[in-house]
Amino acid sequence: MNISLLSGILALLIGLIYTVMTFLLPEASIGRPMEPKIFPMALGMLMIILSSILLVQETKKSRKSEQPAGKFTIDSNLKNIGLTCLFSILYAILFDKLGYVISTILFLEGELFLFNGAKKWKINSIVAVVFSLFIYILFSKLLGVYLPMTPGIWI
Amino acid sequence: MDSLMYLLNGFSVAFAPMNIMWVTIGGILGTIIGMLPGLGPATGVAVLLPLTFTMGPEAALITMGGVYYGAMYGGSRASILINTPGDGAAVAATFDGYPMTLKGKAEAALAISAIASFIGGIFATLVMVAVAMPVARFALKFGPAEYFLLFLFALSATASMSKGDRVKGFLSMALGLMVATIGIDAQSGVKRFTFGILELQSGIDFLVIIIAVYALGEVFKSFQNIAEGKKKVQKEFGRIWISKEEWKRCVWPILRSSPLGFFIGALPGAGGTMAALMSYNNEKSLSKHPEEFGEGAIEGVAAPEAANNAASVGAMIPMLTLGIPGSGTTAVMMGALLMLGLQPGPMLFQQQSTVIWGLIASMFIGNIILAFVNIPMAGLLVRVLAVPPKILYPIVLGLAFVGTYAISYSVMDFYLLIIFGVVGYFLSKAKIPATPMILAIIVGNNMEQSFRRAYKISDGSLSIFWSSPLAIALIIITVLSVILPIIGDMRKKRAAGKGQTA
């Protein structure tokens, strides 16, 4: 599937859902009741029109040329992105519980494993620990930006 | 004349030792981020923003300013040495900069790019001193209807000038405006598109989206490049300077490109990339030996470098005086201002003149410091390029998360960061430009509010939007900004079609 076509369909869906949702918005109890809806309604319509134009353009294009340009393929890239998202979600879950330093070390170990490979675990670990401690001391101790502490330890 | 008074006052702020230190630190950090492939000034400012959260407004803005133009300087380092531009504005520096490196003239290329950047930056700052106050004063005449139209113009110009498919540019803009409508409506208190999630009631913080798109999105894109292996970086340099003859070749291109860059930068939507490319083509057509361009002509480095730095300053004018960012980076800078509780726009020059003029004065100082950092110390700094991106990108991710946390101290934003990082990646895969979306998210709220204020003033009649000459002028330039590129395209197509049939 052509990715432009796919994004056109997605945009059309977003536009339709958004427009339906605007109609379902509660009316304002003060001022003109319709007022909070006008701007979003115009936006929803705009989105529907634009995505329709894109769809027409793309179907014309794909008819002209047999091979659709920019084919959407699942590559190793997507696997790494998926894993990064997974690590990030775990990071979000552990962030408050383990404190900044520990959770960041774990997260960076994961990311460095993806980017740099497991073989270089020594460098990876040094980078992860130094970065986490450096940022923690810089932000929390020097700049006064609060970062969650690990329970029971001074950091 | 009062501009000069304010500027002197600004210098007294900018010359404070702490502020000089901050602009130096910001400049160096910005240079380093700018050097990283794929990461430009927008990412630099977004990722380093949390550093400034506890500073006073002057110091914070001065530091961010340093990061901004530091990244502009740094972007061309990677272009010249490894043929990998940091961002769009540094692309033109690869055309002749990299060939120069291949010919063993990396020193001259590095030196001229810093010199040209310096002249472009200083020139543009001087013009800014002259025009900022008049523009701000003029903007005070704008009513809500004119403001709404101005926002509309800035957004549609950005969408229409975005490279690639124009429809996709507008699609990106519409998407951004939709995101901006999420949250409790300020005027009526109606909850809009919050899906019952408490955290969404206050709206989505655009800084999170900026960090997501510019930091996470770029890292996602880089997985592929990293697999492709890395290029060798030249680490040993001779004296980084240029010969008299080389300087003679570059003087006029730099002096021509600086005003051009400034002007293009001040237009909404055009920005550094277009300024650099236009000045490059301009010099190529003016040159007596155009055949050298692309083969390592030193003017080919000087002209775009002067232009893109001048553009980066020019782009600050609509952002500071009107509250309308014209590029991704100025959008991030505006985010920094809003974070500090400063609302960019004409009133800013009246209410916060010390802060603003301190920033402007620090641009002079920052450019001087960066020229020093980038010429004698260039050999030292480019060693960063030798650190493999495999290690640097995870660090950028780490910075993105700590920055996001520092914005609202809430882990909820991490999920938004992830979602919009993926959205940013998908947009780039689908060749949908992200800049119109970012700009729309930032100005969306103000745009709707000015629309509604105008609508209220006119008691529910839309005629207020074409009732003043200024409003009509704005409508005309908006329509032109959309139609002219389309006509240009049609002409090109027709010309190409004729060429084929003949």
Side-chain angles (χ1 to χ4, degrees):
Chain A
M1 179 138 200
N2 181 332
I3 187 161
S4 288
L5 207 59
L6 184 72
S7 52
I9 294 169
L10 261 179
L12 184 62
L13 274 177
I14 293 173
L16 285 172
I17 294 170
Y18 186 88
T19 312
V20 171
M21 282 184 67
T22 7
F23 280 100
L24 297 176
L25 281 178
E27 299 198 331
S29 43
I30 39 172
R32 292 165 195 280
M34 285 297 283
E35 231 198 65
K37 296 187 184 186
I38 299 172
F39 193 74
M41 262 179 205
L43 273 181
M45 306 283 183
L46 181 70
M47 192 66 157
I48 293 172
I49 295 168
L50 285 171
S51 52
S52 312
I53 296 175
L54 186 66
L55 283 176
V56 171
Q57 261 184 14
E58 289 304 319
T59 39
K60 261 190 196 165
K61 249 190 226 166
S62 58
R63 247 182 236 159
K64 259 186 199 166
S65 58
E66 283 297 302
Q67 281 175 317
K71 224 180 168 192
F72 197 65
T73 47
I74 292 179
D75 42 23
S76 64
N77 209 6
L78 237 53
K79 189 191 91 189
N80 285 337
I81 292 172
L83 281 174
T84 300
C85 291
L86 181 71
F87 291 161
S88 306
I89 292 168
L90 288 175
Y91 188 33
I93 294 169
L94 295 176
F95 198 78
D96 281 328
K97 295 196 179 91
L98 294 183
Y100 178 76
V101 176
I102 307 280
S103 61
T104 307
I105 290 175
L106 292 175
F107 174 69
L108 280 183
E109 286 278 10
E111 283 306 313
L112 284 159
F113 164 74
L114 285 186
F115 276 94
N116 207 18
K119 273 182 197 162
K120 295 184 182 158
W121 63 272
K122 274 186 204 161
I123 300 176
N124 292 356
S125 307
I126 293 170
V127 171
V129 172
V130 171
F131 175 85
S132 309
L133 281 176
F134 175 75
I135 292 291
Y136 182 79
I137 292 168
L138 177 71
F139 277 85
S140 212
K141 304 291 171 198
L142 298 176
L143 293 172
V145 175
Y146 167 80
L147 292 173
M149 280 205 277
T150 307
I153 318 177
W154 66 273
I155 42 175
Chain B
M1 275 329 273
D2 45 348
S3 287
L4 282 181
M5 283 301 297
Y6 283 118
L7 182 63
L8 279 179
N9 194 14
F11 269 113
S12 70
V13 174
F15 266 123
M18 277 304 273
N19 287 340
I20 291 188
M21 185 191 84
W22 283 125
V23 76
T24 312
I25 293 177
I28 292 175
L29 291 176
T31 309
I32 291 172
I33 296 235
M35 277 195 286
L36 301 182
L39 306 182
T43 317
V45 178
V47 170
L48 296 176
L49 191 60
L51 280 179
T52 65
F53 282 171
T54 48
M55 296 178 190
E58 288 101 349
L61 267 187
I62 286 173
T63 313
M64 284 298 111
V67 173
Y68 182 8
Y69 32 83
M72 295 296 291
Y73 275 82
S76 53
R77 314 281 96 179
S79 302
I80 291 168
L81 292 174
I82 53 173
N83 206 17
T84 313
D87 72 324
V91 169
T94 61
F95 299 162
D96 281 288
Y98 190 58
M100 280 182 82
T101 301
L102 292 180
K103 285 182 179 170
K105 288 193 281 188
E107 290 85 357
L110 290 174
I112 195 68
S113 94
I115 294 169
S117 299
F118 170 73
I119 298 175
I122 293 284
F123 169 85
T125 313
L126 282 172
V127 182
M128 179 158 175
V129 170
V131 303
M133 291 285 277
V135 174
R137 249 183 233 133
F138 178 66
L140 282 175
K141 291 183 191 145
F142 283 36
E146 284 83 5
Y147 248 103
F148 170 74
L149 292 168
L150 191 64
F151 283 127
L152 195 65
F153 164 64
L155 286 182
S156 65
T158 310
S160 138
M161 274 190 242
S162 47
K163 55 183 175 186
D165 203 328
R166 208 157 288 119
V167 181
K168 288 181 181 169
F170 280 99
L171 213 62
S172 164
M173 175 193 91
L175 192 67
L177 288 174
M178 285 179 169
V179 172
T181 57
I182 295 174
I184 292 180
D185 171 39
Q187 287 194 25
S188 64
V190 170
K191 281 178 210 156
R192 300 193 295 187
F193 315 107
T194 57
F195 304 98
I197 300 169
L198 193 69
E199 277 81 0
L200 286 181
Q201 288 192 1
S202 53
I204 292 180
D205 198 318
F206 53 82
L207 281 172
V208 175
I209 295 174
I210 285 169
I211 297 177
V213 171
Y214 287 118
L216 256 67
E218 293 300 328
V219 171
F220 286 165
K221 270 189 256 173
S222 70
F223 274 113
Q224 224 156 6
N225 305 337
I226 279 172
E228 284 163 9
K230 95 179 183 60
K231 290 158 187 155
K232 249 190 137 177
V233 189
Q234 179 179 350
K235 275 184 257 178
E236 298 301 322
F237 293 101
R239 205 166 86 91
I240 295 178
W241 199 237
I242 47 168
S243 67
K244 251 191 190 146
E245 197 192 328
E246 285 168 329
W247 169 243
K248 266 186 199 153
R249 282 180 66 170
C250 295
V251 174
W252 284 107
I254 291 175
L255 293 181
R256 279 192 293 261
S257 301
S258 301
L260 177 74
F262 177 85
F263 178 71
I264 294 175
L267 293 178
T273 311
M274 199 180 274
L277 292 175
M278 272 185 77
S279 72
Y280 184 84
N281 291 330
N282 197 18
E283 287 309 320
K284 194 176 173 182
S285 59
L286 284 172
S287 171
K288 283 178 197 134
H289 32 76
E291 71 284 352
E292 282 180 29
F293 276 73
E295 304 290 328
I298 194 162
E299 313 85 295
V301 181
E305 283 298 287
N308 72 23
N309 270 51
S312 71
V313 176
M316 300 275 270
I317 288 189
M319 189 272 276
L320 290 175
T321 58
L322 304 170
I324 293 177
S327 67
T329 317
T330 42
V332 188
M333 279 297 279
M334 184 162 153
L337 278 155
L338 292 170
M339 187 79 205
L340 294 164
L342 306 172
Q343 173 68 51
M347 298 304 281
L348 190 66
F349 279 79
Q350 297 187 334
Q351 292 163 351
Q352 300 285 347
S353 67
T354 336
V355 177
I356 287 310
W357 287 98
L359 172 70
I360 295 173
S362 86
M363 287 180 179
F364 287 105
I365 300 171
N367 265 297
I368 294 169
I369 290 173
L370 277 163
F372 272 107
V373 166
N374 275 279
I375 299 173
M377 282 168 63
L380 202 67
L381 269 179
V382 294
R383 274 161 206 269
V384 173
L385 286 175
V387 177
K390 292 174 193 170
I391 290 180
L392 289 171
Y393 284 119
I395 289 177
V396 169
L397 280 180
L399 289 174
F401 277 98
V402 74
T404 304
Y405 185 76
I407 291 168
S408 61
Y409 299 109
S410 151
V411 181
M412 267 305 288
D413 283 346
F414 283 15
Y415 298 107
L416 284 176
L417 188 71
I418 301 163
I419 292 169
F420 278 94
V422 173
V423 169
Y425 174 76
F426 181 79
L427 288 180
S428 84
K429 272 273 154 178
K431 301 215 161 51
I432 298 173
T435 313
M437 178 182 85
I438 300 281
L439 299 193
I441 291 174
I442 290 199
V443 302
N445 235 322
N446 282 336
M447 186 173 169
E448 187 187 356
Q449 294 306 325
S450 46
F451 172 80
R452 302 227 323 240
R453 238 171 272 143
Y455 189 69
K456 247 186 203 137
I457 291 171
S458 69
D459 207 22
S461 153
L462 289 175
S463 65
I464 188 170
F465 293 105
W466 53 84
S467 60
S468 77
L470 198 58
I472 293 172
L474 281 166
I475 292 175
I476 291 172
I477 56 170
T478 307
V479 172
L480 283 181
S481 78
V482 177
I483 288 180
L484 282 181
I486 297 178
I487 293 176
D489 274 8
M490 278 156 86
R491 267 201 196 144
K492 253 185 226 162
K493 251 186 206 164
R494 203 174 288 165
K498 267 183 193 166
Q500 274 174 2
T501 50

